[in-house]
Amino acid sequence: MSTTLDSSLRHGAATDLDLGRMVEAERVHRRVFVDSDVFELEMDRIFGRSWIYVGHESQIPNPGDYFTTQVGRQPVVMTRHADGTIHVLENRCPHKGAIVCPERSGHTKRLVCMYHGWSFEADGSLAGVPVRSGYDNTCFDPTNRANGMKRLPRVENYRGFVFASLVADGPDLKTWAGEGMRGFDSVVDRAPEGQIEIVGDCFRTVQNSNWKIFIDNMSDGMHTSFVHYQTARAAKRTLEKFKIEHAGGLQVATLLAGEPDQMAKTDLVAHPNGHFDMAAFAPEPKGTDAEKYKAEMIARHGEAGAQAILGRNFHNAMLFPTALMQPSLQQLRVIRPLAVDKTLLEIWVFRLKGAPDSFTSRAITAANIGNSPSNLVAADDFEAYYRVHAGLKGPESDWVRLSREANRDIPVGSSLKGSSGNSEVCMRNMYQAWSQYMSVQ
């Protein structure tokens, strides 16, 4: 890359020409992470058009239940209608635009706007308008149920996971997700009853860094030997000192992730559209409950079927740009960009229906250790993300390097497998997909 081109990318408002030059085969320009103009375009061209994770159907189990979140910049409410159907609506009153549901979740017979009392059914249809006579001989018909809260153009429920898009055109969810959905399949398949459900509320943290820095790190096995080294060493010494043989595999594995060379043995696979997954490295549960669980799986799927399901497990499975499933930990991380330098992260824990209660306890403990406000693992990562973002704000720092194990990628169908768990193949693939998303005007 010439000095002239480097200089031209450094300053000024982001243009489509600039966007096309910000991602190369083995490096990404710093403006991808720190430029507010780029962020605004991302919210339009990625979060405003792609499939975005909304929530899980278990969060609204009964008619009248609702859950609020955002799709890109748009506040939305996911509802369960009287007929059992799930809808995702713009969380705004069609009268003056006021937020209708300010709470994170709740239950109500009808959705009612506090400003002027307009009410709506759970499918968004208009139920009532006070003083209807005021609209006589006007262009608005208060009796037309279609004049209610607007439904998002596309909503799909994949095995309980609800996704939505703000645009009507584009590939369906399954086509767009492709192999990127296999981590979601894995966690559902591992439930003896074939269903999972959310446990309680989530952990919510705001990271002072760009949203892509977090996703970048989710396929970065190399960092664990450095960022988490001290935490891993302390955990190992504790296990040895107290001679703990079965410490609850999943949560302890989050601490031992820093063991040298461990991650190099982990499979990394990058999929089209920016999705990727990392094979699980946490040990499977052991003991009586684990044996009962395996027996339940065999009873449901047969010996071969159970072996196929249990033989495939993932630590991270990223459905770009918002949903990171962790089947081995029974957790889902949801990414909600707030600003170019602020990212909201939600961590949800799942119960595998039909699995022993100890499996759920283990998942909750893992979340507490790795993701709670007093966690021992993610705090290391958040500091690293902050330092990356802070360093990239300087205009003389132009490029982020992604050359590790480049030209060693192994084609697997339409996907690419890294030559080892230290490869940056998923990052390279993700930013190539980012560039494609951003090129659509």
Short mmCIF file of all heavy atoms in Angstrom, two decimals, residues 29 39 44 64 66 70 126 128 147 159 186 205-206 235-236 269 271 315 370 391 418 435 441:
data_model
loop_
_atom_site.label_atom_id
_atom_site.label_comp_id
_atom_site.label_asym_id
_atom_site.label_seq_id
_atom_site.Cartn_x
_atom_site.Cartn_y
_atom_site.Cartn_z
N HIS A 29 -7.86 -1.30 7.93
CA HIS A 29 -7.50 0.06 8.32
C HIS A 29 -8.16 0.43 9.65
O HIS A 29 -9.28 0.00 9.96
CB HIS A 29 -7.93 1.06 7.24
CG HIS A 29 -7.24 2.38 7.36
ND1 HIS A 29 -7.76 3.41 8.10
CD2 HIS A 29 -6.05 2.83 6.86
CE1 HIS A 29 -6.92 4.46 8.03
NE2 HIS A 29 -5.90 4.12 7.29
N PHE A 39 -19.08 4.09 11.46
CA PHE A 39 -20.06 3.50 12.37
C PHE A 39 -21.48 3.81 11.91
O PHE A 39 -22.37 2.93 11.92
CB PHE A 39 -19.84 4.01 13.79
CG PHE A 39 -20.85 3.49 14.77
CD1 PHE A 39 -20.73 2.22 15.30
CD2 PHE A 39 -21.93 4.28 15.16
CE1 PHE A 39 -21.67 1.73 16.20
CE2 PHE A 39 -22.87 3.80 16.06
CZ PHE A 39 -22.75 2.52 16.58
N ASP A 44 -26.55 1.53 9.20
CA ASP A 44 -27.48 1.52 8.06
C ASP A 44 -27.29 0.27 7.22
O ASP A 44 -28.25 -0.47 6.96
CB ASP A 44 -27.25 2.77 7.22
CG ASP A 44 -28.08 2.76 5.93
OD1 ASP A 44 -29.18 2.18 5.95
OD2 ASP A 44 -27.63 3.32 4.92
N GLY A 64 -49.62 -12.30 25.68
CA GLY A 64 -49.57 -11.06 26.44
C GLY A 64 -48.19 -10.72 26.96
O GLY A 64 -47.96 -9.60 27.42
N TYR A 66 -44.22 -9.75 26.68
CA TYR A 66 -43.43 -8.99 25.72
C TYR A 66 -42.01 -8.79 26.24
O TYR A 66 -41.75 -8.87 27.44
CB TYR A 66 -44.08 -7.63 25.42
CG TYR A 66 -44.14 -6.68 26.59
CD1 TYR A 66 -43.07 -5.83 26.89
CD2 TYR A 66 -45.28 -6.62 27.38
CE1 TYR A 66 -43.13 -4.95 27.96
CE2 TYR A 66 -45.35 -5.74 28.46
CZ TYR A 66 -44.27 -4.91 28.75
OH TYR A 66 -44.32 -4.04 29.81
N GLN A 70 -33.47 -3.76 20.75
CA GLN A 70 -33.27 -2.93 19.58
C GLN A 70 -32.80 -3.76 18.41
O GLN A 70 -32.09 -4.75 18.59
CB GLN A 70 -32.24 -1.83 19.86
CG GLN A 70 -32.71 -0.80 20.85
CD GLN A 70 -32.18 0.60 20.56
OE1 GLN A 70 -32.63 1.54 21.17
NE2 GLN A 70 -31.27 0.74 19.62
N LEU A 126 -54.28 -1.97 15.74
CA LEU A 126 -54.87 -0.89 16.53
C LEU A 126 -56.12 -1.39 17.23
O LEU A 126 -57.03 -1.93 16.60
CB LEU A 126 -55.21 0.29 15.62
CG LEU A 126 -55.75 1.57 16.28
CD1 LEU A 126 -54.72 2.14 17.24
CD2 LEU A 126 -56.13 2.60 15.22
N GLY A 128 -57.68 0.57 20.06
CA GLY A 128 -58.53 1.65 20.52
C GLY A 128 -57.86 3.01 20.45
O GLY A 128 -56.66 3.13 20.67
N ASN A 147 -53.91 0.47 11.23
CA ASN A 147 -53.23 1.71 11.62
C ASN A 147 -52.56 1.58 12.99
O ASN A 147 -52.57 2.52 13.78
CB ASN A 147 -54.22 2.88 11.62
CG ASN A 147 -54.62 3.30 10.22
OD1 ASN A 147 -53.83 3.17 9.29
ND2 ASN A 147 -55.85 3.79 10.07
N ARG A 159 -35.87 -22.48 15.52
CA ARG A 159 -35.73 -23.37 16.67
C ARG A 159 -35.79 -22.62 18.00
O ARG A 159 -35.08 -22.93 18.94
CB ARG A 159 -34.45 -24.21 16.57
CG ARG A 159 -34.32 -24.99 15.27
CD ARG A 159 -33.18 -25.98 15.29
NE ARG A 159 -33.49 -27.13 16.17
CZ ARG A 159 -32.68 -28.17 16.34
NH1 ARG A 159 -31.50 -28.20 15.70
NH2 ARG A 159 -33.02 -29.16 17.14
N SER A 186 -26.50 -27.06 17.61
CA SER A 186 -25.81 -27.90 18.58
C SER A 186 -26.41 -27.76 19.98
O SER A 186 -26.67 -28.77 20.65
CB SER A 186 -24.31 -27.54 18.63
OG SER A 186 -23.64 -28.27 19.64
N THR A 205 -23.15 -5.61 30.17
CA THR A 205 -21.96 -4.80 30.36
C THR A 205 -21.77 -3.89 29.17
O THR A 205 -22.11 -4.25 28.03
CB THR A 205 -20.69 -5.67 30.52
OG1 THR A 205 -20.51 -6.48 29.35
CG2 THR A 205 -20.81 -6.57 31.73
N VAL A 206 -21.24 -2.71 29.42
CA VAL A 206 -20.91 -1.78 28.35
C VAL A 206 -19.40 -1.71 28.22
O VAL A 206 -18.70 -1.37 29.18
CB VAL A 206 -21.49 -0.37 28.61
CG1 VAL A 206 -21.01 0.61 27.53
CG2 VAL A 206 -23.01 -0.43 28.63
N ALA A 235 -5.95 -20.45 38.91
CA ALA A 235 -6.94 -21.52 38.95
C ALA A 235 -6.27 -22.88 39.02
O ALA A 235 -6.69 -23.75 39.79
CB ALA A 235 -7.84 -21.44 37.72
N LYS A 236 -5.23 -23.06 38.23
CA LYS A 236 -4.54 -24.35 38.22
C LYS A 236 -3.90 -24.64 39.58
O LYS A 236 -3.97 -25.77 40.09
CB LYS A 236 -3.47 -24.35 37.13
CG LYS A 236 -2.80 -25.71 36.95
CD LYS A 236 -1.85 -25.69 35.77
CE LYS A 236 -1.21 -27.07 35.58
NZ LYS A 236 -0.29 -27.10 34.42
N VAL A 269 -13.34 -22.47 12.11
CA VAL A 269 -13.92 -22.55 10.77
C VAL A 269 -14.67 -21.26 10.48
O VAL A 269 -15.53 -20.84 11.26
CB VAL A 269 -14.86 -23.75 10.62
CG1 VAL A 269 -15.36 -23.86 9.18
CG2 VAL A 269 -14.17 -25.05 11.03
N HIS A 271 -17.18 -19.10 7.94
CA HIS A 271 -18.26 -19.35 7.00
C HIS A 271 -18.60 -18.08 6.21
O HIS A 271 -18.26 -16.97 6.62
CB HIS A 271 -19.50 -19.84 7.74
CG HIS A 271 -19.24 -21.01 8.65
ND1 HIS A 271 -18.84 -22.23 8.18
CD2 HIS A 271 -19.32 -21.13 10.01
CE1 HIS A 271 -18.69 -23.07 9.19
NE2 HIS A 271 -18.97 -22.42 10.32
N HIS A 315 -17.23 -23.93 21.33
CA HIS A 315 -17.02 -22.94 22.38
C HIS A 315 -17.65 -21.62 21.96
O HIS A 315 -18.42 -21.02 22.70
CB HIS A 315 -15.53 -22.75 22.65
CG HIS A 315 -15.25 -21.70 23.68
ND1 HIS A 315 -15.62 -21.86 25.00
CD2 HIS A 315 -14.66 -20.48 23.60
CE1 HIS A 315 -15.27 -20.78 25.69
NE2 HIS A 315 -14.69 -19.93 24.87
N GLY A 370 -17.21 -16.03 34.46
CA GLY A 370 -16.67 -15.43 33.24
C GLY A 370 -17.32 -14.14 32.79
O GLY A 370 -16.72 -13.40 32.01
N GLY A 391 -5.56 2.76 21.25
CA GLY A 391 -4.38 2.85 20.40
C GLY A 391 -4.72 3.19 18.96
O GLY A 391 -3.97 3.92 18.30
N GLY A 418 -9.06 -22.93 9.62
CA GLY A 418 -7.72 -22.49 9.93
C GLY A 418 -6.77 -23.67 10.07
O GLY A 418 -7.18 -24.78 10.46
N SER A 435 -16.71 -5.82 4.42
CA SER A 435 -16.50 -4.98 3.25
C SER A 435 -17.62 -5.16 2.23
O SER A 435 -18.09 -4.19 1.62
CB SER A 435 -15.14 -5.31 2.61
OG SER A 435 -14.88 -4.45 1.53
N GLN A 441 -25.16 0.07 -1.24
CA GLN A 441 -25.69 1.40 -0.91
C GLN A 441 -27.21 1.38 -0.85
O GLN A 441 -27.86 0.57 -1.44
CB GLN A 441 -25.21 2.41 -1.93
CG GLN A 441 -23.69 2.54 -2.00
CD GLN A 441 -23.27 3.61 -2.96
OE1 GLN A 441 -23.87 4.68 -3.08
NE2 GLN A 441 -22.21 3.33 -3.71
#
